[in-house]
Structures are given as structure tokens and as C-alpha cells.
């Protein structure tokens, strides 16, 4: 538990620089950070810090049966995180990254992380938000979930996130209201056929159009 969380207005250049510096230090110290993305606000930590991931799940009041996804700051980052980048994954990343599509893929077996009960998969996304991208490119992959307590609405503003998560988070980065205020669409590529597990900011029809195949939707 943080002694006192800190908030930074990232629409102001000086405050943004201070906020990103504080966020880097917090993440390296195993603490949690709330940051804006192009969908909803996210609560995140170092993806390779198992204790920090456990703290993230505790802050959201959920267990490892609901594993945490990973945000990356570049297209090439995924090459070291997955066992194989399929043609479908390449097509979707080219079309939608950075953006509001999350991909569930088989993770590289050598990865030393614990994101929850992932059954050998990982959910990856590259967000379309300058604050998130800058932080991710400086600190590397982050385990990130929507910035809310489980069962409550995802936060579309920093204040909504802070109201729910309080001092369980060390640093809050305020980038203004979320552009979409809707979660990402989740596409499962770990099986023989692509499946949409959640239809969010990008429609199933648009995903199918990019892939050129029929896409099963479980949304």
C-alpha cells in the first residue's frame, strides 16, 4: 500500500515530464501506476514483477483466474513475447496497432512472468496514447488491466480511477477523458481459428474484413 498516491496532469508539459519520471521510479520499485490509454484508464505494473502483478490483482479485488494483459510500446516487442507471430497476428497489428485491439496468443515458453491463470497464452496490445506509449517505450512491457475495482465500471478519467483505487496506486497520470471510454476488442488467435472474445471499440465485422475470413464471435 502506498503511503500517499501522487497525481500528475499530463496535459501540462512540465507536469507530464515529472509524472513520467515518477511513474518510471514507481514501476521499478514494484509499485502500481494508473495511466491513460485510448480506450479506458489502465492500472499497470512491471509485467515481470510477480509481486507487483499480485498487488494489481489485489487492488482490483480479483484473483489469478482473471489474468492480466500486457501492453507494449512497439510492434517489434511482441517478437520476444510469443512463441510464434502468426500471419493473422501480423495482419491485425498492422491494421489496428497502436489501437483498440487486444490479441490473445501463445506466449514464449521461456518467459519468467506470472500474469495469472493464462494457460500458456498472453493478451497483448499496443495502445494509441502518447503518454502510455512514452512510458512503455521507457520501461518495457507492462501488465495492465482496466483501472477499476472488479464489478465496477472501468474508469474513463483519472478521478474515476482514483476514486476506486485510492492509495493502492502510487502514481496517477492524468491525460484527460478517455477518447473512446470503451474497452478494447479481444481477438483470440491461440486456436485454429480467430475468435472475438469481447467486442469493444473495434467491431467483429471490421476484424473479419482485415483477416479476410469468417470470425467467430463469443462476445
Amino acid at each position: 500500500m502506498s503511503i500517499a498516491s501522487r497525481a500528475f496532469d499530463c496535459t501540462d508539459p512540465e507536469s507530464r515530464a515529472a509524472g513520467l519520471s515518477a511513474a518510471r521510479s514507481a514501476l521499478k520499485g514494484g509499485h502500481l501506476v494508473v495511466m491513460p490509454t485510448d480506450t479506458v484508464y489502465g492500472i499497470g505494473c512491471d509485467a515481470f514483477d510477480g509481486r507487483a502483478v499480485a498487488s494489481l490483482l489485489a487492488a482490483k479485488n480479483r484473483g489469478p483466474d482473471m489474468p492480466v494483459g500486457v501492453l507494449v510500446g512497439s510492434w517489434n516487442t511482441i517478437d520476444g513475447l510469443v512463441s510464434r507471430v502468426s500471419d493473422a497476428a501480423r495482419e491485425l497489428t498492422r491494421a489496428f496497432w497502436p489501437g483498440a485491439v487486444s490479441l490473445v496468443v501463445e506466449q514464449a515458453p521461456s518467459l519468467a512472468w506470472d500474469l495469472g491463470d493464462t494457460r500458456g497464452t498472453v493478451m497483448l496490445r499496443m495502445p494509441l496514447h502518447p503518454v502510455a506509449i512514452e512510458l512503455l517505450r521507457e520501461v518495457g512491457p507492462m501488465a495492465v488491466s482496466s483501472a477499476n475495482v472488479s464489478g465496477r465500471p472501468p474508469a474513463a478519467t483519472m478521478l474515476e480511477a482514483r476514486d476506486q483505487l485510492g492509495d493502492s496506486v502510487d502514481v496517477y497520470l492524468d491525460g484527460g477523458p478517455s477518447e473512446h471510454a470503451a474497452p478494447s476488442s479481444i481477438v483470440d488467435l491461440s486456436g485454429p481459428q480467430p475468435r472475438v472474445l469481447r467486442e469493444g471499440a473495434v467491431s467483429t465485422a471490421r476484424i473479419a474484413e482485415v483477416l479476410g475470413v469468417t470470425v467467430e464471435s463469443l462476445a
Side-chain angles (χ1 to χ4, degrees), residues 162-192:
R162 198 170 190 178
D163 179 62
Q164 295 191 49
L165 299 168
D167 285 344
S168 63
V169 171
D170 192 75
V171 172
Y172 287 86
L173 300 178
D174 187 357
S178 298
E179 181 180 351
H180 296 298
S184 65
S185 298
I186 301 176
V187 185
D188 184 0
L189 299 177
S190 64

PDB file of all heavy atoms in Angstrom, residues 162-192:
ATOM      1  N   ARG A 162      -9.017   7.043  -9.458  1.00  0.00           N
ATOM      2  CA  ARG A 162      -8.530   7.326  -8.110  1.00  0.00           C
ATOM      3  C   ARG A 162      -9.622   7.108  -7.067  1.00  0.00           C
ATOM      4  O   ARG A 162      -9.341   6.664  -5.944  1.00  0.00           O
ATOM      5  CB  ARG A 162      -8.004   8.758  -8.033  1.00  0.00           C
ATOM      6  CG  ARG A 162      -7.096   9.014  -6.839  1.00  0.00           C
ATOM      7  CD  ARG A 162      -6.412  10.365  -6.944  1.00  0.00           C
ATOM      8  NE  ARG A 162      -5.377  10.502  -5.933  1.00  0.00           N
ATOM      9  CZ  ARG A 162      -4.599  11.578  -5.816  1.00  0.00           C
ATOM     10  NH1 ARG A 162      -4.735  12.585  -6.667  1.00  0.00           N
ATOM     11  NH2 ARG A 162      -3.686  11.633  -4.868  1.00  0.00           N
ATOM     12  N   ASP A 163     -10.860   7.392  -7.444  1.00  0.00           N
ATOM     13  CA  ASP A 163     -11.977   7.179  -6.521  1.00  0.00           C
ATOM     14  C   ASP A 163     -12.118   5.703  -6.163  1.00  0.00           C
ATOM     15  O   ASP A 163     -12.472   5.359  -5.033  1.00  0.00           O
ATOM     16  CB  ASP A 163     -13.273   7.698  -7.160  1.00  0.00           C
ATOM     17  CG  ASP A 163     -14.483   7.478  -6.259  1.00  0.00           C
ATOM     18  OD1 ASP A 163     -14.502   8.032  -5.146  1.00  0.00           O
ATOM     19  OD2 ASP A 163     -15.406   6.752  -6.673  1.00  0.00           O
ATOM     20  N   GLN A 164     -11.837   4.825  -7.132  1.00  0.00           N
ATOM     21  CA  GLN A 164     -11.979   3.389  -6.892  1.00  0.00           C
ATOM     22  C   GLN A 164     -10.729   2.756  -6.273  1.00  0.00           C
ATOM     23  O   GLN A 164     -10.836   1.865  -5.425  1.00  0.00           O
ATOM     24  CB  GLN A 164     -12.294   2.668  -8.205  1.00  0.00           C
ATOM     25  CG  GLN A 164     -13.637   3.046  -8.823  1.00  0.00           C
ATOM     26  CD  GLN A 164     -14.005   2.114  -9.966  1.00  0.00           C
ATOM     27  OE1 GLN A 164     -13.947   0.896  -9.825  1.00  0.00           O
ATOM     28  NE2 GLN A 164     -14.389   2.674 -11.098  1.00  0.00           N
ATOM     29  N   LEU A 165      -9.555   3.202  -6.696  1.00  0.00           N
ATOM     30  CA  LEU A 165      -8.326   2.500  -6.343  1.00  0.00           C
ATOM     31  C   LEU A 165      -7.531   3.171  -5.230  1.00  0.00           C
ATOM     32  O   LEU A 165      -6.711   2.518  -4.571  1.00  0.00           O
ATOM     33  CB  LEU A 165      -7.452   2.349  -7.591  1.00  0.00           C
ATOM     34  CG  LEU A 165      -8.102   1.530  -8.714  1.00  0.00           C
ATOM     35  CD1 LEU A 165      -7.305   1.674 -10.013  1.00  0.00           C
ATOM     36  CD2 LEU A 165      -8.231   0.070  -8.327  1.00  0.00           C
ATOM     37  N   GLY A 166      -7.738   4.466  -5.022  1.00  0.00           N
ATOM     38  CA  GLY A 166      -7.134   5.175  -3.904  1.00  0.00           C
ATOM     39  C   GLY A 166      -5.626   5.013  -3.797  1.00  0.00           C
ATOM     40  O   GLY A 166      -4.892   5.051  -4.798  1.00  0.00           O
ATOM     41  N   ASP A 167      -5.134   4.797  -2.575  1.00  0.00           N
ATOM     42  CA  ASP A 167      -3.707   4.735  -2.321  1.00  0.00           C
ATOM     43  C   ASP A 167      -3.082   3.370  -2.601  1.00  0.00           C
ATOM     44  O   ASP A 167      -1.913   3.143  -2.287  1.00  0.00           O
ATOM     45  CB  ASP A 167      -3.409   5.136  -0.878  1.00  0.00           C
ATOM     46  CG  ASP A 167      -3.523   6.640  -0.657  1.00  0.00           C
ATOM     47  OD1 ASP A 167      -3.524   7.380  -1.666  1.00  0.00           O
ATOM     48  OD2 ASP A 167      -3.624   7.072   0.500  1.00  0.00           O
ATOM     49  N   SER A 168      -3.850   2.453  -3.195  1.00  0.00           N
ATOM     50  CA  SER A 168      -3.224   1.208  -3.660  1.00  0.00           C
ATOM     51  C   SER A 168      -2.339   1.475  -4.872  1.00  0.00           C
ATOM     52  O   SER A 168      -1.495   0.652  -5.227  1.00  0.00           O
ATOM     53  CB  SER A 168      -4.294   0.169  -4.020  1.00  0.00           C
ATOM     54  OG  SER A 168      -5.094   0.611  -5.092  1.00  0.00           O
ATOM     55  N   VAL A 169      -2.522   2.650  -5.491  1.00  0.00           N
ATOM     56  CA  VAL A 169      -1.733   3.068  -6.648  1.00  0.00           C
ATOM     57  C   VAL A 169      -0.778   4.169  -6.225  1.00  0.00           C
ATOM     58  O   VAL A 169      -1.164   5.096  -5.507  1.00  0.00           O
ATOM     59  CB  VAL A 169      -2.654   3.570  -7.784  1.00  0.00           C
ATOM     60  CG1 VAL A 169      -1.845   4.203  -8.913  1.00  0.00           C
ATOM     61  CG2 VAL A 169      -3.503   2.418  -8.317  1.00  0.00           C
ATOM     62  N   ASP A 170       0.475   4.072  -6.658  1.00  0.00           N
ATOM     63  CA  ASP A 170       1.492   5.050  -6.268  1.00  0.00           C
ATOM     64  C   ASP A 170       1.397   6.326  -7.094  1.00  0.00           C
ATOM     65  O   ASP A 170       1.485   7.432  -6.558  1.00  0.00           O
ATOM     66  CB  ASP A 170       2.885   4.440  -6.418  1.00  0.00           C
ATOM     67  CG  ASP A 170       3.958   5.281  -5.760  1.00  0.00           C
ATOM     68  OD1 ASP A 170       4.041   5.250  -4.515  1.00  0.00           O
ATOM     69  OD2 ASP A 170       4.705   5.970  -6.479  1.00  0.00           O
ATOM     70  N   VAL A 171       1.250   6.177  -8.427  1.00  0.00           N
ATOM     71  CA  VAL A 171       1.271   7.334  -9.318  1.00  0.00           C
ATOM     72  C   VAL A 171       0.061   7.290 -10.254  1.00  0.00           C
ATOM     73  O   VAL A 171      -0.226   6.246 -10.867  1.00  0.00           O
ATOM     74  CB  VAL A 171       2.571   7.369 -10.158  1.00  0.00           C
ATOM     75  CG1 VAL A 171       2.507   8.461 -11.221  1.00  0.00           C
ATOM     76  CG2 VAL A 171       3.783   7.572  -9.254  1.00  0.00           C
ATOM     77  N   TYR A 172      -0.626   8.417 -10.363  1.00  0.00           N
ATOM     78  CA  TYR A 172      -1.730   8.586 -11.306  1.00  0.00           C
ATOM     79  C   TYR A 172      -1.307   9.586 -12.381  1.00  0.00           C
ATOM     80  O   TYR A 172      -0.923  10.712 -12.070  1.00  0.00           O
ATOM     81  CB  TYR A 172      -2.979   9.114 -10.604  1.00  0.00           C
ATOM     82  CG  TYR A 172      -3.687   8.111  -9.728  1.00  0.00           C
ATOM     83  CD1 TYR A 172      -3.284   7.920  -8.400  1.00  0.00           C
ATOM     84  CD2 TYR A 172      -4.758   7.372 -10.211  1.00  0.00           C
ATOM     85  CE1 TYR A 172      -3.939   7.006  -7.583  1.00  0.00           C
ATOM     86  CE2 TYR A 172      -5.418   6.459  -9.399  1.00  0.00           C
ATOM     87  CZ  TYR A 172      -5.003   6.278  -8.091  1.00  0.00           C
ATOM     88  OH  TYR A 172      -5.652   5.373  -7.286  1.00  0.00           O
ATOM     89  N   LEU A 173      -1.385   9.172 -13.636  1.00  0.00           N
ATOM     90  CA  LEU A 173      -1.091  10.047 -14.765  1.00  0.00           C
ATOM     91  C   LEU A 173      -2.411  10.458 -15.413  1.00  0.00           C
ATOM     92  O   LEU A 173      -3.155   9.609 -15.904  1.00  0.00           O
ATOM     93  CB  LEU A 173      -0.198   9.334 -15.785  1.00  0.00           C
ATOM     94  CG  LEU A 173       1.162   8.856 -15.260  1.00  0.00           C
ATOM     95  CD1 LEU A 173       1.924   8.122 -16.364  1.00  0.00           C
ATOM     96  CD2 LEU A 173       1.993  10.022 -14.729  1.00  0.00           C
ATOM     97  N   ASP A 174      -2.701  11.755 -15.387  1.00  0.00           N
ATOM     98  CA  ASP A 174      -3.976  12.275 -15.880  1.00  0.00           C
ATOM     99  C   ASP A 174      -3.794  12.810 -17.294  1.00  0.00           C
ATOM    100  O   ASP A 174      -3.128  13.821 -17.509  1.00  0.00           O
ATOM    101  CB  ASP A 174      -4.473  13.386 -14.948  1.00  0.00           C
ATOM    102  CG  ASP A 174      -5.877  13.869 -15.298  1.00  0.00           C
ATOM    103  OD1 ASP A 174      -6.442  13.382 -16.305  1.00  0.00           O
ATOM    104  OD2 ASP A 174      -6.402  14.729 -14.570  1.00  0.00           O
ATOM    105  N   GLY A 175      -4.392  12.118 -18.261  1.00  0.00           N
ATOM    106  CA  GLY A 175      -4.320  12.553 -19.653  1.00  0.00           C
ATOM    107  C   GLY A 175      -5.629  13.089 -20.178  1.00  0.00           C
ATOM    108  O   GLY A 175      -5.812  13.204 -21.387  1.00  0.00           O
ATOM    109  N   GLY A 176      -6.566  13.417 -19.263  1.00  0.00           N
ATOM    110  CA  GLY A 176      -7.885  13.863 -19.685  1.00  0.00           C
ATOM    111  C   GLY A 176      -8.810  12.687 -19.927  1.00  0.00           C
ATOM    112  O   GLY A 176      -8.410  11.528 -19.782  1.00  0.00           O
ATOM    113  N   PRO A 177     -10.066  12.952 -20.297  1.00  0.00           N
ATOM    114  CA  PRO A 177     -11.035  11.870 -20.508  1.00  0.00           C
ATOM    115  C   PRO A 177     -10.591  10.914 -21.612  1.00  0.00           C
ATOM    116  O   PRO A 177      -9.969  11.327 -22.594  1.00  0.00           O
ATOM    117  CB  PRO A 177     -12.310  12.624 -20.919  1.00  0.00           C
ATOM    118  CG  PRO A 177     -12.124  14.006 -20.411  1.00  0.00           C
ATOM    119  CD  PRO A 177     -10.650  14.289 -20.489  1.00  0.00           C
ATOM    120  N   SER A 178     -10.892   9.634 -21.450  1.00  0.00           N
ATOM    121  CA  SER A 178     -10.559   8.633 -22.465  1.00  0.00           C
ATOM    122  C   SER A 178     -11.265   8.944 -23.775  1.00  0.00           C
ATOM    123  O   SER A 178     -12.417   9.381 -23.779  1.00  0.00           O
ATOM    124  CB  SER A 178     -10.962   7.239 -21.986  1.00  0.00           C
ATOM    125  OG  SER A 178     -10.262   6.878 -20.832  1.00  0.00           O
ATOM    126  N   GLU A 179     -10.557   8.690 -24.866  1.00  0.00           N
ATOM    127  CA  GLU A 179     -11.108   9.011 -26.191  1.00  0.00           C
ATOM    128  C   GLU A 179     -12.349   8.189 -26.502  1.00  0.00           C
ATOM    129  O   GLU A 179     -13.344   8.702 -26.984  1.00  0.00           O
ATOM    130  CB  GLU A 179     -10.044   8.770 -27.258  1.00  0.00           C
ATOM    131  CG  GLU A 179     -10.512   9.087 -28.668  1.00  0.00           C
ATOM    132  CD  GLU A 179      -9.425   8.843 -29.704  1.00  0.00           C
ATOM    133  OE1 GLU A 179      -8.269   8.597 -29.306  1.00  0.00           O
ATOM    134  OE2 GLU A 179      -9.744   8.887 -30.905  1.00  0.00           O
ATOM    135  N   HIS A 180     -12.303   6.890 -26.226  1.00  0.00           N
ATOM    136  CA  HIS A 180     -13.426   6.012 -26.561  1.00  0.00           C
ATOM    137  C   HIS A 180     -14.292   5.695 -25.352  1.00  0.00           C
ATOM    138  O   HIS A 180     -15.492   5.480 -25.488  1.00  0.00           O
ATOM    139  CB  HIS A 180     -12.915   4.692 -27.157  1.00  0.00           C
ATOM    140  CG  HIS A 180     -12.204   4.849 -28.465  1.00  0.00           C
ATOM    141  ND1 HIS A 180     -12.815   5.344 -29.591  1.00  0.00           N
ATOM    142  CD2 HIS A 180     -10.922   4.572 -28.819  1.00  0.00           C
ATOM    143  CE1 HIS A 180     -11.950   5.370 -30.580  1.00  0.00           C
ATOM    144  NE2 HIS A 180     -10.781   4.909 -30.135  1.00  0.00           N
ATOM    145  N   ALA A 181     -13.686   5.658 -24.156  1.00  0.00           N
ATOM    146  CA  ALA A 181     -14.389   5.231 -22.935  1.00  0.00           C
ATOM    147  C   ALA A 181     -15.048   3.870 -23.147  1.00  0.00           C
ATOM    148  O   ALA A 181     -16.108   3.583 -22.616  1.00  0.00           O
ATOM    149  CB  ALA A 181     -15.424   6.264 -22.504  1.00  0.00           C
ATOM    150  N   ALA A 182     -14.398   3.037 -23.950  1.00  0.00           N
ATOM    151  CA  ALA A 182     -14.859   1.666 -24.207  1.00  0.00           C
ATOM    152  C   ALA A 182     -13.633   0.770 -24.210  1.00  0.00           C
ATOM    153  O   ALA A 182     -12.548   1.195 -24.602  1.00  0.00           O
ATOM    154  CB  ALA A 182     -15.582   1.580 -25.550  1.00  0.00           C
ATOM    155  N   PRO A 183     -13.777  -0.474 -23.756  1.00  0.00           N
ATOM    156  CA  PRO A 183     -12.619  -1.366 -23.712  1.00  0.00           C
ATOM    157  C   PRO A 183     -12.188  -1.800 -25.108  1.00  0.00           C
ATOM    158  O   PRO A 183     -12.905  -1.610 -26.095  1.00  0.00           O
ATOM    159  CB  PRO A 183     -13.130  -2.555 -22.892  1.00  0.00           C
ATOM    160  CG  PRO A 183     -14.602  -2.557 -23.121  1.00  0.00           C
ATOM    161  CD  PRO A 183     -14.998  -1.116 -23.240  1.00  0.00           C
ATOM    162  N   SER A 184     -11.011  -2.388 -25.186  1.00  0.00           N
ATOM    163  CA  SER A 184     -10.527  -2.907 -26.463  1.00  0.00           C
ATOM    164  C   SER A 184     -11.307  -4.152 -26.859  1.00  0.00           C
ATOM    165  O   SER A 184     -11.909  -4.819 -26.018  1.00  0.00           O
ATOM    166  CB  SER A 184      -9.035  -3.248 -26.365  1.00  0.00           C
ATOM    167  OG  SER A 184      -8.838  -4.319 -25.452  1.00  0.00           O
ATOM    168  N   SER A 185     -11.288  -4.444 -28.141  1.00  0.00           N
ATOM    169  CA  SER A 185     -11.816  -5.713 -28.626  1.00  0.00           C
ATOM    170  C   SER A 185     -10.740  -6.777 -28.440  1.00  0.00           C
ATOM    171  O   SER A 185      -9.562  -6.517 -28.675  1.00  0.00           O
ATOM    172  CB  SER A 185     -12.197  -5.612 -30.098  1.00  0.00           C
ATOM    173  OG  SER A 185     -13.218  -4.649 -30.290  1.00  0.00           O
ATOM    174  N   ILE A 186     -11.145  -7.965 -28.010  1.00  0.00           N
ATOM    175  CA  ILE A 186     -10.182  -9.045 -27.746  1.00  0.00           C
ATOM    176  C   ILE A 186     -10.351 -10.132 -28.802  1.00  0.00           C
ATOM    177  O   ILE A 186     -11.440 -10.689 -28.962  1.00  0.00           O
ATOM    178  CB  ILE A 186     -10.391  -9.648 -26.347  1.00  0.00           C
ATOM    179  CG1 ILE A 186     -10.221  -8.568 -25.276  1.00  0.00           C
ATOM    180  CG2 ILE A 186      -9.399 -10.782 -26.109  1.00  0.00           C
ATOM    181  CD1 ILE A 186     -10.516  -9.068 -23.871  1.00  0.00           C
ATOM    182  N   VAL A 187      -9.265 -10.434 -29.516  1.00  0.00           N
ATOM    183  CA  VAL A 187      -9.262 -11.471 -30.544  1.00  0.00           C
ATOM    184  C   VAL A 187      -8.356 -12.605 -30.094  1.00  0.00           C
ATOM    185  O   VAL A 187      -7.166 -12.397 -29.840  1.00  0.00           O
ATOM    186  CB  VAL A 187      -8.790 -10.920 -31.901  1.00  0.00           C
ATOM    187  CG1 VAL A 187      -8.920 -11.998 -32.979  1.00  0.00           C
ATOM    188  CG2 VAL A 187      -9.567  -9.678 -32.294  1.00  0.00           C
ATOM    189  N   ASP A 188      -8.897 -13.797 -29.996  1.00  0.00           N
ATOM    190  CA  ASP A 188      -8.138 -14.978 -29.592  1.00  0.00           C
ATOM    191  C   ASP A 188      -7.548 -15.645 -30.824  1.00  0.00           C
ATOM    192  O   ASP A 188      -8.271 -16.159 -31.676  1.00  0.00           O
ATOM    193  CB  ASP A 188      -9.063 -15.947 -28.844  1.00  0.00           C
ATOM    194  CG  ASP A 188      -8.318 -17.168 -28.307  1.00  0.00           C
ATOM    195  OD1 ASP A 188      -7.090 -17.266 -28.520  1.00  0.00           O
ATOM    196  OD2 ASP A 188      -8.980 -18.025 -27.688  1.00  0.00           O
ATOM    197  N   LEU A 189      -6.216 -15.626 -30.904  1.00  0.00           N
ATOM    198  CA  LEU A 189      -5.504 -16.251 -32.019  1.00  0.00           C
ATOM    199  C   LEU A 189      -4.750 -17.496 -31.581  1.00  0.00           C
ATOM    200  O   LEU A 189      -3.900 -18.009 -32.312  1.00  0.00           O
ATOM    201  CB  LEU A 189      -4.521 -15.249 -32.637  1.00  0.00           C
ATOM    202  CG  LEU A 189      -5.116 -13.965 -33.222  1.00  0.00           C
ATOM    203  CD1 LEU A 189      -4.005 -13.053 -33.720  1.00  0.00           C
ATOM    204  CD2 LEU A 189      -6.101 -14.272 -34.348  1.00  0.00           C
ATOM    205  N   SER A 190      -5.049 -17.998 -30.390  1.00  0.00           N
ATOM    206  CA  SER A 190      -4.304 -19.147 -29.860  1.00  0.00           C
ATOM    207  C   SER A 190      -4.814 -20.481 -30.381  1.00  0.00           C
ATOM    208  O   SER A 190      -4.150 -21.509 -30.205  1.00  0.00           O
ATOM    209  CB  SER A 190      -4.358 -19.146 -28.332  1.00  0.00           C
ATOM    210  OG  SER A 190      -5.693 -19.328 -27.866  1.00  0.00           O
ATOM    211  N   GLY A 191      -5.970 -20.486 -31.021  1.00  0.00           N
ATOM    212  CA  GLY A 191      -6.543 -21.714 -31.555  1.00  0.00           C
ATOM    213  C   GLY A 191      -6.451 -21.773 -33.064  1.00  0.00           C
ATOM    214  O   GLY A 191      -5.801 -20.940 -33.701  1.00  0.00           O
ATOM    215  N   PRO A 192      -7.129 -22.757 -33.676  1.00  0.00           N
ATOM    216  CA  PRO A 192      -7.043 -22.922 -35.132  1.00  0.00           C
ATOM    217  C   PRO A 192      -7.735 -21.819 -35.916  1.00  0.00           C
ATOM    218  O   PRO A 192      -7.364 -21.545 -37.058  1.00  0.00           O
ATOM    219  CB  PRO A 192      -7.712 -24.279 -35.374  1.00  0.00           C
ATOM    220  CG  PRO A 192      -8.595 -24.496 -34.178  1.00  0.00           C
ATOM    221  CD  PRO A 192      -7.883 -23.854 -33.028  1.00  0.00           C
TER     222      PRO A 192
END
